[in-house]
Structure formats: C-alpha cells, structure tokens
Amino acid sequence: MADRVTDKDVRDSRRTATDSFSPRGQGRLLWPVGAWFWALQFAVLNPLLAVLLVSLYGATATEVGWVLGLYNVGGFVASLVIPTLADRSRDYLRPLVFCAVGGVALVAVLSATTSLPIVVLALVVLGGPPGVGSTLLFAQLRHEGAPPTQVIRTRAIVSFAWVIGPPLATLVAGAAGTPAALALLAGIGLVNVTTAFLLLRQRRPAPADDAASRPRLLAQLRGWNRWGVVGAFTLLQATNIATVTIATLFVSHDLGAPITWAGIVLGAAALLEIPALLLIGRLQEHRSTRLLLAGGCACGVAYYGLVALVQEPWQLLALQPLNAWFFATVAGLGLTVFQDVFPSPGLASGLFTNTRRAGAVLAGLLIAALGSFATPYRAVFVAAAVIVLLVLTASVALHAARGETRARTASR
C-alpha cells in the first residue's frame, strides 16, 4: 500500500520534520481546538439532519432519502474541488475561512425558512464547503511540514469529537427541541470562523522545499500504484462501514441479544480508537508505515473472521480492541500514506476523505449482494475478512515483486 526508502531514512526524515514543526504558545492550543470543533460540527449535524428535515420542514421518508443523497453529492464535489483549488494557490486557510462562513450561513438559512426546496438548495450549496474544513486543516498541516505523528494526533481529536457529538446532539434536541440544536450548531460554526481567522493570522511559512513546483494535477493522478492505494483504502473503508451499518441487526438477529449491546459495542470501538491512534502515531516514529499497515490489516482479518464465529454479545465486545486498531490504522496511517503518495496536500486529503464516501457506496452494494444468505449479517463479516485479506496479500505480493525487480536491477 505504501512504498518507502530504507526504514532508517524514514525515521531520520520524521525526526527532522518533528524538530522543524513545533507550534508554541497559542498556536499549540489552536490546532486541537480547531480540529475538535470542525469535527464536532458534523458529528452534531449528521445525526440530527433527518430529524430536522421531518420536524421543521415536513419532509416525507422518501424526501429525506433524496435530500440526504443530494447533500452527500454536494459534499463529494466540494471535497474534491475546494482542496484542489487550494493546492493551486497553495493557500489552505483562506478557503478554510470561506468554509467556516458557509457553515454559519447554512445554519442561518435552516433557522430562517420552513420551505423544503430552499433547505435542499442550502444543503447542496452551503452544506458542502463546511464538510471540507477538516480536509483543509490536514492539508495545512502537511503544507507547513507537520510530521505524521502530528497528523495522526490531530486525527485522534477528530475521532473524539465524533464520540461526543452524536450524544450531545440528541441530548440537546431531546431536552430543548430542534431549535436548540440549531442554536448549538450556530455556536459551533462561530467558533470555527474564529479559529479559522486565528490560524490565518498565525500561519507559518511553508518549508523551503515546498517552493519547488509540484507536479501538475493530471501528473499526480497518473500511475497504477497511486490508484492502487486509492482502491485499497476504499475497500478497507467499505468493510468498516458495512459492518458498522449492520452491527445492530447482527446483535439482535444473529446473536438474539438486546440492541443496547450494539450501542455498547460501537461505543467501545469508538473510545478505543482514540488511544489506538495516539499509539500508532508514536509507533510510526520508530517503525515503517508498511509494517504498521500490515499489522493493522492483520488485526482487521482477525476481527472480522472471529466475529463471524461469535455466539454471545460479550464475545463481540471482547474483540473490539482488534476492531479499533484496524480502523485507527486505516483512518490515521491512511491519511499520512495519501500525503506521501500525492504531493499536493489538498488533493491528498480530499482523495482520502472520498475513499470513505466511495466505501459507503461499496458497503451498500456488499450488504445488498449478501442479502439472500441464510445469515446475511454474519456473511457481511466473512466477506469483510476476505476483502481485507485480499488487500493485505496483494500489498505484500506487490512489495515483494518490487524488491525482486530492484535486486535484479542492482545486480546488473
């Protein structure tokens, strides 16, 4: 999945990057605050959006499906176009301000109208750019020369926001109604505007070597190796999305347990993901990315394969450390791999973000394809294990083939 020079060269370059990227004072706090609130904005909005459409704008179930589909299409386009334009200007913080203002404008429109068509237009036009905020933050980190450890640590903050966001959203909406939830979103949006302006004021100059011309966009998109990386991570993301999607049904139908067990299991996986990300970030300073990716995929194969055999919900809960390590590997290391493979930070972060969206489409197709099995939800875990094993095997085989080619070239 990722090919690098010698491990010693990698560790030396990481140590140099760590020494050169050391935010101080207010900037040390600004990055985690910014990452937290950008992630929190959508961790609050996503669980509430369908509820808002029904309760405030009278949408039917069919209309909710169409609106969410259009909203996600807008987000997909924005996450490719905005970072790519930012790459051309090599400015990621001014677009971040634009995206932050778009988030506040979206909440303003949602609060001011009861017309569903206007809401749909606002979600497509104004809802896409705020979803690019985290992508631009990661692109700016890379642009300033942040080491992979810093990137992964920031990704852990994003994960923590997604642990807190959904319960916070439902608590506020349940206690004070959906208008209070909109007020919460407005407050988060204003914090994002503030942090975006502060980051713009305090931004660091890019490293000297960034002044060299990057390859053109089309040149960066050429090559089977690059698209192999994109395809591999799309498949890995798909296995996570598919198994999370059917987790509640697996617990209630296949294990015959109360659905509260599904909440406990998913919550445990989300909480364990945070220390897993932090530990992976530390390990990457001393171990090769390729080795860590292989270990993470091995955990994924083990997790999915063992879940297909469990008979009790406590057994599923006991396997969540494997699940957390696998997904932390994909979500944390995956971003740094894309930043290594694609020289333009915005393109790298945007493509990696969209592996999640493309993976969601594949996950739906996978679940549908296995629907005719006697135990379709257990079959999803079996298929996920096979997919991750195939990705791991292909990666190892390609690396071995490259090694043989280099050895033959060196011996001539």
Side-chain angles (χ1 to χ4, degrees):
M1 280 178 268
D3 192 18
R4 301 197 182 190
V5 293
T6 67
D7 290 347
K8 182 179 183 301
D9 291 338
V10 172
R11 289 194 292 272
D12 289 345
S13 65
R14 287 175 187 156
R15 194 173 297 114
T16 301
T18 303
D19 293 340
S20 63
F21 188 90
S22 54
R24 297 175 181 175
Q26 188 180 7
R28 186 187 296 275
L29 182 62
L30 197 54
W31 277 104
V33 169
W36 164 266
F37 277 98
W38 273 106
L40 188 65
Q41 184 173 25
F42 284 87
V44 169
L45 176 61
N46 283 8
L48 288 179
L49 189 51
V51 176
L52 292 172
L53 291 171
V54 173
S55 62
L56 296 182
Y57 314 110
T60 65
T62 302
E63 289 171 336
V64 168
W66 279 107
V67 172
L68 293 179
L70 291 171
Y71 169 63
N72 284 317
V73 168
F76 181 86
V77 173
S79 63
L80 285 178
V81 172
I82 294 176
T84 302
L85 292 176
D87 280 333
R88 293 183 64 180
S89 63
R90 303 192 184 182
D91 183 351
Y92 304 96
L93 293 180
R94 283 191 176 86
L96 184 68
V97 173
F98 165 77
C99 293
V101 172
V104 174
L106 173 63
V107 177
V109 173
L110 294 179
S111 303
T113 185
T114 57
S115 169
L116 185 60
I118 293 176
V119 168
V120 173
L121 183 62
L123 286 170
V124 173
V125 176
L126 299 174
V132 187
S134 294
T135 300
L136 292 172
L137 279 176
F138 285 117
Q140 180 65 20
L141 279 173
R142 178 68 172 186
H143 183 61
E144 293 185 2
T149 302
Q150 179 74 13
V151 174
I152 295 173
R153 193 178 300 133
T154 305
R155 180 59 180 81
I157 294 170
V158 170
S159 295
F160 186 50
W162 276 95
V163 172
I164 300 298
L168 177 63
T170 53
L171 177 64
V172 171
T178 47
L182 286 175
L184 174 64
L185 283 169
I188 295 171
L190 290 173
V191 173
N192 286 336
V193 172
T194 303
T195 56
F197 272 113
L198 289 174
L199 285 169
L200 183 60
R201 274 186 65 187
Q202 300 179 11
R203 64 176 168 181
R204 299 158 53 97
D209 58 359
D210 189 69
S213 179
R214 294 174 188 150
R216 292 182 177 272
L217 175 63
L218 290 179
Q220 294 184 51
L221 295 177
R222 294 194 190 105
W224 288 109
N225 289 344
R226 290 189 173 104
W227 286 107
V229 170
V230 174
F233 278 93
T234 299
L235 290 172
L236 296 177
Q237 298 271 23
T239 63
N240 172 260
I241 295 169
T243 53
V244 169
T245 300
I246 56 91
T248 301
L249 295 170
F250 176 71
V251 167
S252 59
H253 286 250
D254 289 26
L255 301 184
I259 61 172
T260 52
W261 269 103
I264 294 171
V265 166
L266 293 175
L271 287 172
L272 289 169
E273 178 190 328
I274 298 166
L277 278 164
L278 295 174
L279 182 56
I280 287 172
R282 292 185 66 87
L283 288 174
Q284 198 187 39
E285 295 177 347
H286 310 287
R287 299 288 185 271
S288 72
T289 298
R290 185 170 54 249
L291 179 62
L292 292 173
L293 284 170
C297 287
C299 286
V301 174
Y303 170 69
Y304 293 137
L306 290 172
V307 169
L309 302 175
V310 303
Q311 300 298 325
E312 300 292 337
W314 66 263
Q315 296 170 332
L316 181 60
L317 180 62
L319 292 173
Q320 290 315 302
L322 289 173
N323 185 24
W325 190 264
F326 166 66
F327 185 68
T329 301
V330 174
L333 283 180
L335 179 57
T336 66
V337 168
F338 271 66
Q339 290 179 337
D340 285 346
V341 171
F342 298 94
S344 295
L347 176 66
S349 298
L351 284 175
F352 181 72
T353 298
N354 281 321
T355 62
R356 186 86 183 153
R357 292 189 172 98
V361 175
L362 292 180
L365 295 175
L366 178 66
I367 294 169
L370 299 174
S372 60
F373 279 63
T375 54
Y377 309 122
R378 199 177 292 273
V380 170
F381 285 98
V382 175
V386 172
I387 290 170
V388 178
L389 181 60
L390 289 174
V391 171
L392 176 59
T393 303
S395 176
V396 171
L398 286 173
H399 176 64
R402 290 190 191 115
E404 291 177 2
T405 301
R406 284 194 294 265
R408 284 197 298 268
T409 303
S411 63
R412 289 175 183 172

